[in-house]
Amino acid sequence: TTAAVNGTTGGTTTSLTSNDTLGGSAVVIVTAPGNVTLTGLSVPAGLSLNANGTVTIAANTPAGNYSLTYKICEVSNTANCDSVTSTIVISVPVPPTPPIIDAVTDTTAAVNGTTGGTTTSLTSNDTLGGSAVVIGTAPGNVTLTGLSVPAGLSLNANGTVTIAANTPAGNYILEYKICEVSNTTNCDSVKSTIEVFSVFSDFTPTIDIDTPVFLSTESSKDFVVYISEINGVSSDGQVIVKLTKGNSFIISYDNDTTTSYVNGVIIVNNSDWIITESLTFITMKLKPSSIIRGNTFSAIGFKIKPQLDIPEKTSLPITVTILNNSGLDIYNNNNTFSIVAEVR
């Protein structure tokens, strides 16, 4: 009866003939006189009886006690034989208990579905053997698989979740699993909640001028149009603004100017805008490459002077209006601002 051999990896026993004798002496398996020949009579599948009397067990042979029958015969007298049935013991070691893998549910910090964004990693609180998991391919790491990922959401390789722009507000349930690289059956899955809210930009205009009163038709003044975002959400797409021109005053601008002389000297952003005009309006469109960040503003510098020979007491409303819904602005109740310019 052989010592047990690991059937998972396979292996080879010691020789079955090591305790066999001929004339009281240990047998030798060779073809010379005084020796013996070896013949397998019944060899189970997965086992091989070798010429030296050892038995080789193939890898992945099921555990069990296998009966193998062989005979030995005297070389000098082939009728002088004996046979025996031996037991080949095959075992499959009990694998070590795998480390505990624990995927823990998350509720992410809310992400603005209007602009889109990315969460922190859902696996940041998951553990393997009590230690924080590492997503990778090396032993001791884990793999990450999305089991149920809602539309508009993407589970990234590092465990973060990207929310596409214009995803409706709501709580989205995302299910994933992590598995130990070294033991792919050692897995855990969990459902986490991805919170999505919707907030839009809110742009409002103002006009700044030292004073809108002109004491002569020869004088010229700088003024600045401010386009301010007041809801903490950056522009998405072009912000479009219209400035009335009228007939009593001349309004001019320089597409590349960077300074305006209002309340001293201020920096303006004319180069961020495409500025065009018609008979009645000056239109400003934010360039596609430019963004007005949340809770900031863009300043556009202009000059204004009265037309020659206009009567005293002539006045003109200077009105600036943000086009409704432009630049992701759905709050349209504060999109217009006016001042009155006057010649005395």
Side-chain angles (χ1 to χ4, degrees):
T1 298
T2 63
V5 174
N6 185 346
T8 303
T9 59
T12 300
T13 69
T14 57
S15 177
L16 299 182
T17 63
S18 62
N19 57 350
D20 296 352
T21 59
L22 174 64
S25 299
V27 301
V28 178
I29 306 171
V30 291
T31 57
N35 297 318
V36 299
T37 59
L38 173 69
T39 305
L41 301 179
S42 175
V43 181
L47 278 61
S48 301
L49 178 61
N50 302 311
N52 62 356
T54 61
V55 178
T56 296
I57 292 89
N60 300 312
T61 299
N65 292 336
Y66 291 74
S67 295
L68 185 152
T69 302
Y70 70 92
K71 72 176 180 179
I72 51 174
C73 295
E74 184 182 3
V75 169
S76 303
N77 181 3
T78 58
N80 184 22
C81 298
D82 193 23
S83 63
V84 69
T85 298
S86 290
T87 301
I88 314 300
V89 180
I90 299 176
S91 65
V92 176
V94 177
T97 301
I100 295 174
I101 189 167
D102 189 17
V104 181
T105 188
D106 278 288
T107 299
T108 64
V111 174
N112 186 355
T114 304
T115 57
T118 299
T119 69
T120 55
S121 178
L122 299 182
T123 63
S124 60
N125 56 350
D126 297 351
T127 57
L128 175 64
S131 299
V133 300
V134 177
I135 302 171
T137 57
N141 295 168
V142 300
T143 58
L144 172 68
T145 305
L147 301 179
S148 176
V149 181
L153 277 61
S154 302
L155 178 61
N156 302 313
N158 62 356
T160 61
V161 179
T162 296
I163 293 88
N166 300 313
T167 298
N171 290 338
Y172 292 78
I173 304 300
L174 185 152
E175 184 177 9
Y176 69 91
K177 73 174 178 179
I178 50 174
C179 295
E180 183 184 3
V181 168
S182 304
N183 182 2
T184 56
T185 61
N186 186 24
C187 300
D188 194 24
S189 62
V190 71
K191 294 178 180 178
S192 288
T193 301
I194 314 300
E195 291 190 355
V196 178
F197 68 99
S198 293
V199 175
F200 295 85
S201 303
D202 187 7
F203 295 100
T204 187
T206 53
I207 296 173
D208 195 8
I209 189 170
D210 286 342
T211 173
V213 176
F214 294 81
L215 302 180
S216 96
T217 58
E218 299 296 326
S219 60
S220 174
K221 293 178 181 288
D222 284 5
F223 73 95
V224 175
V225 173
Y226 290 97
I227 306 300
S228 300
E229 200 293 314
I230 60 174
N231 206 35
V233 181
S234 299
S235 62
D236 186 2
Q238 282 189 308
V239 180
I240 301 174
V241 184
K242 289 184 176 294
L243 179 68
T244 56
K245 290 173 64 174
N247 297 318
S248 304
F249 291 80
I250 300 171
I251 298 176
S252 60
Y253 55 89
D254 180 347
N255 284 298
D256 298 316
T257 190
T258 58
T259 55
S260 184
Y261 297 93
V262 176
N263 297 321
V265 179
I266 64 170
I267 302 300
V268 293
N269 313 105
N270 288 33
S271 61
D272 288 342
W273 297 82
I274 301 168
I275 307 175
T276 58
E277 63 180 305
S278 64
L279 291 176
T280 54
F281 292 105
I282 296 174
T283 300
M284 297 150 274
K285 294 183 179 180
L286 189 66
K287 290 181 178 178
S289 59
S290 299
I291 295 174
I292 302 176
R293 302 290 179 186
N295 295 323
T296 66
F297 62 84
S298 182
I300 311 165
F302 295 90
K303 291 184 179 296
I304 184 170
K305 65 180 295 185
Q307 295 278 9
L308 293 175
D309 302 323
I310 64 170
E312 293 184 359
K313 304 299 184 182
T314 299
S315 63
L316 170 72
I318 305 173
T319 301
V320 60
T321 301
I322 298 173
L323 187 67
N324 289 348
N325 303 318
S326 68
L328 200 66
D329 180 3
I330 66 168
Y331 307 102
N332 300 323
N333 61 331
N334 59 352
N335 284 6
T336 298
F337 184 88
S338 290
I339 64 170
V340 176
E342 180 182 359
V343 176
R344 290 185 179 174

